[in-house]
Amino acid sequence: NAGVTQTPKFQVLKTGQSMTLQCAQDMNHEYMSWYRQDPGMGLRLIHYSVGAGITDQGEVPNGYNVSRSTTEDFPLRLLSAAPSQTSVYFCASSYRNSPLHFGNGTRLTVT
Amino acid sequence: AQSVTQLDSQVPVFEEAPVELRCNYSSSVSVYLFWYVQYPNQGLQLLLKYLSGSTLVKGINGFEAEFNKSQTSFHLRKPSVHISDTAEYFCAGNSGGSNYKLTFGKGTLLTVNP
C-alpha cells in the first residue's frame, strides 16, 4: 500500500517555466489537497478537492491550477513559475472525517 | 475563521526531560484538533487527534495532548523525550467536519540534546 505518492521529489525551474507536480493516492480517499510549506509559515492550503470533478481554492491559490479527473490523481500546475513559488509542496488525502495522509513532498526551486 | 498559534518556534531540551509544546486555537464552532510531526526531509505524520469525547488524547511514541476548551488550548506533552524525538511539530485545526481544510500553526522545532 503506497499511500500518497508525489513526483518529482526535487525540481529546479527558471522563472516563467511551467510544470506539473504529480500526486496519486491508492486509498480511495474522497478528499485531496495541496499545501505549501515555507520556513516559519507552517503549511498553507493552496487548493483542495472533495471528489472527482470538484475543486476549490484554499488560502494561497494564485499562480496555481488544479484538476481532478479521477479519484486517485490530483496534479498541481504552475503555469508561469515565479521565485515566490520556491517552496516545499505537500499533497494530502483523507476520507470523510479521517485525518490527512501526507505525501513526502516536492522541493521546488525557482531561479 | 479558525486560527492556530504555536507559542514557541523552538524548544531545546535534554534527553529524558519532560517537554510541553504549546498550541492555542480560536474558533466559534466545534473544533477538531491535530498534532503532526515532521522528521527531516519527510512528510507529516499524525501524532494524535481530538475529535470529541475525552479531553486527554494519547498518541503514538508516548505523546499525549489535553484539549482545554476554556483556555482554547491543545498542548502536546511527553514525560521523557529521546534523541529520536528531534523533529518539527505542527498543531492543526479546523472548524466543522472539513478535515481536508486544516489550518496549521507555524511549527515548533523540538531539539533533544544528549
Side-chain angles (χ1 to χ4, degrees):
Chain A
N1 192 349
V4 179
T5 302
Q6 291 184 238
T7 56
K9 286 183 170 50
F10 302 93
Q11 183 70 49
V12 178
L13 291 179
K14 294 187 187 303
T15 298
Q17 286 185 314
S18 63
M19 80 158 294
T20 299
L21 280 63
Q22 301 291 346
C23 175
Q25 52 93 7
D26 61 0
M27 297 172 283
N28 201 31
H29 283 170
E30 299 169 284
Y31 307 129
M32 296 186 75
S33 48
W34 278 101
Y35 290 83
R36 60 176 288 172
Q37 182 181 23
D38 302 293
M41 300 291 290
L43 279 78
R44 293 179 291 170
L45 181 64
I46 304 171
H47 285 284
Y48 64 95
S49 168
V50 300
I54 306 170
T55 64
D56 206 346
Q57 296 181 350
E59 179 186 355
V60 288
N62 292 341
Y64 308 95
N65 282 347
V66 292
S67 60
R68 182 111 179 258
S69 57
T70 67
T71 300
E72 294 78 20
D73 300 300
F74 191 44
L76 178 71
R77 298 183 185 85
L78 284 70
L79 298 180
S80 179
S84 60
Q85 294 178 305
T86 293
S87 188
V88 182
Y89 292 85
F90 288 100
C91 179
S93 71
S94 67
Y95 180 73
R96 295 188 183 175
N97 289 332
S98 70
L100 291 177
H101 292 256
F102 284 86
N104 283 332
T106 294
R107 188 174 297 272
L108 175 67
T109 302
V110 183
T111 62
Chain B
Q2 171 75 289
S3 69
V4 175
T5 303
Q6 292 184 242
L7 299 166
D8 306 293
S9 60
Q10 298 185 54
V11 174
V13 295
F14 288 109
E15 192 173 20
E16 298 183 5
V19 71
E20 178 180 80
L21 306 184
R22 298 180 294 167
C23 173
N24 287 100
Y25 68 92
S26 66
S27 179
S28 59
V29 297
S30 61
V31 169
Y32 296 164
L33 293 164
F34 307 84
W35 275 98
Y36 282 86
V37 60
Q38 184 181 33
Y39 299 104
N41 299 314
Q42 294 189 24
L44 278 72
Q45 178 182 358
L46 180 69
L47 269 181
L48 49 80
K49 62 183 184 288
Y50 172 79
L51 303 181
S52 64
S54 173
T55 57
L56 184 62
V57 180
K58 293 190 183 299
I60 62 171
N61 300 342
F63 284 93
E64 64 181 31
E66 185 165 14
F67 173 69
N68 188 320
K69 189 173 183 178
S70 64
Q71 297 186 9
T72 61
S73 67
F74 191 56
H75 301 334
L76 181 70
R77 301 186 181 98
K78 186 169 182 178
S80 176
V81 294
H82 303 291
I83 299 285
S84 59
D85 292 322
T86 294
E88 189 150 26
Y89 292 78
F90 292 95
C91 182
N94 67 349
S95 55
S98 54
N99 285 351
Y100 49 87
K101 291 174 62 179
L102 292 186
T103 298
F104 283 83
K106 294 184 178 181
T108 297
L109 178 62
L110 173 65
T111 303
V112 181
N113 298 302

